[in-house]
Amino acid sequence: MPRTGIADLPLHTGRAPRWLFALNMVAAEAEDARQAVAALAREKSSDACRPATRS
């Protein structure tokens, strides 16, 4: 197939659009919150498994 013209397609400008960046940040913050809750739950459950120490 012969080439018949030139296309100027700016596929990447080096920056994400604001709306896409905002969506990604919301998803990242939600995942951070899930990880923090899971870590606290693991810590809490491991504390419950330990025998009480007397002072």
Side-chain angles (χ1 to χ4, degrees):
M1 180 176 280
R3 295 183 183 182
T4 59
I6 296 173
D8 183 19
L9 302 172
L11 298 176
H12 194 282
T13 60
R15 299 184 72 178
R18 287 185 185 270
W19 62 267
L20 181 58
F21 183 73
L23 287 177
N24 287 339
M25 290 305 295
V26 168
E29 289 170 359
E31 182 59 28
D32 287 346
R34 280 192 288 272
Q35 293 295 325
V37 169
L40 288 173
R42 283 191 304 272
E43 183 179 309
K44 186 83 169 174
S45 68
S46 68
D47 287 346
C49 294
R50 291 186 189 143
T53 57
R54 294 184 182 184
S55 309

